[in-house]
Amino acid sequence: MLEKIKELFRRENLSLSEEQARKFEVYLRELLRWNRVHNLTAIKEPEEIIKRHFVESVSLIRCFEEANLDWKGKEFADIGTGAGFPGVPLKIYLGDVRLFLVEASSKKCSFLEYLKVKLNEEYEVLCERAENLSRSFDVVLSRALGEFEEVYELLESLSRGYIFVMKGKDIKREWIEELGYNLCELKLSFIPRTYVLWKAKG
């Protein structure tokens, strides 16, 4: 599976070191194993997990570059991370970020704590609802938290720098014109088109 992981990243012009590829292989194996019991992700096929969860998460770096975000040493919070997306793949790929995973489901938190040991990666799991957090982060990420109109104020309250929201293909003009978000398109070979909304505060 190691070569398949490298190939699928390479196809999207993302290259992995041997160590990164091995970590994604461990991630895939543990996710599939836990998924049989705990239903952490609706995607069950290994290749689809690599593409839709790992590659798509890492491709966010293109939006970071578009936003002129210098991520080194920054605090990243992935809100409603589920089984770790996009936060953990970004941590594996970027290395030098301080990652906080915010997740209200205790079974998903247990998986993320277990995964941290298996991957030998440093991150902190905040096992609570995002609404209850009383701190802020340099960069706030969100992928599957709910309807944008219902969550953007929460995300902005948690960020002291940047907000990035993976929104798929359905975008409303007022998010850009009235709320001041920018649009970043992720060009990936395995999906027609997908967009990220981003905003820099201050």
Side-chain angles (χ1 to χ4, degrees):
M1 211 62 200
L2 200 65
E3 290 309 311
K4 172 59 78 175
I5 290 168
K6 286 197 248 184
E7 180 206 327
L8 290 171
F9 270 86
R10 199 162 44 236
R11 208 179 281 173
E12 309 304 325
N13 296 313
L14 295 164
S15 60
L16 296 179
S17 69
E18 199 67 25
E19 184 187 7
Q20 288 169 331
R22 275 203 201 91
K23 287 189 175 188
F24 279 117
E25 188 180 40
V26 170
Y27 199 166
L28 177 65
R29 184 179 68 234
E30 297 302 334
L31 183 60
L32 289 168
R33 195 165 70 80
W34 277 63
N35 213 38
R36 286 197 290 271
V37 179
H38 297 291
N39 195 28
L40 301 177
T41 169
I43 300 174
K44 307 283 195 271
E45 289 299 314
E47 189 165 324
E48 286 303 300
I49 287 173
I50 296 165
K51 290 193 291 195
R52 296 306 307 270
H53 286 327
F54 298 168
V55 176
E56 198 172 321
S57 292
V58 169
S59 69
L60 251 181
I61 63 162
R62 290 172 183 154
C63 299
F64 298 166
E65 288 162 357
E66 197 173 289
N68 292 316
L69 167 61
D70 176 12
W71 59 74
K72 289 186 178 157
K74 295 285 193 299
E75 287 188 351
F76 277 59
D78 181 2
I79 310 298
T81 186
F85 312 117
V88 177
L90 283 167
K91 174 67 176 165
I92 293 171
Y93 195 80
L94 297 176
D96 188 15
V97 296
R98 295 170 61 199
L99 177 63
F100 297 82
L101 300 173
V102 182
E103 176 54 51
S105 161
S106 56
K107 69 178 179 182
K108 289 173 183 171
C109 293
S110 297
F111 170 71
L112 295 168
E113 293 285 9
Y114 172 81
L115 183 68
K116 176 164 67 169
V117 177
K118 299 298 281 187
L119 293 177
N120 191 27
E121 284 285 355
E122 273 301 313
Y123 56 72
E124 193 172 332
V125 181
L126 304 177
C127 199
E128 59 184 302
R129 292 180 62 82
E131 295 88 337
N132 298 334
L133 290 174
S134 58
R135 56 166 302 172
S136 61
F137 308 88
D138 299 312
V139 181
V140 167
L141 311 169
S142 172
R143 186 182 182 197
L145 194 60
E147 292 302 317
F148 185 70
E149 287 91 347
E150 294 168 13
V151 301
Y152 79 89
E153 288 180 334
L154 170 64
L155 298 175
E156 289 189 21
S157 74
L158 293 170
S159 172
R160 55 178 179 262
Y162 289 83
I163 301 114
F164 292 89
V165 184
M166 302 179 84
K167 267 313 291 172
K169 64 183 190 303
D170 299 319
I171 299 294
K172 293 182 183 173
R173 253 176 44 195
E174 56 262 33
W175 298 343
I176 294 148
E177 293 173 359
E178 293 171 25
L179 300 178
Y181 279 80
N182 302 281
L183 206 56
C184 170
E185 182 179 0
L186 296 180
K187 295 182 173 70
L188 297 164
S189 66
F190 49 84
I191 38 179
R193 67 174 185 272
T194 186
Y195 295 102
V196 174
L197 290 164
W198 69 268
K199 187 177 192 175
K201 292 181 76 180

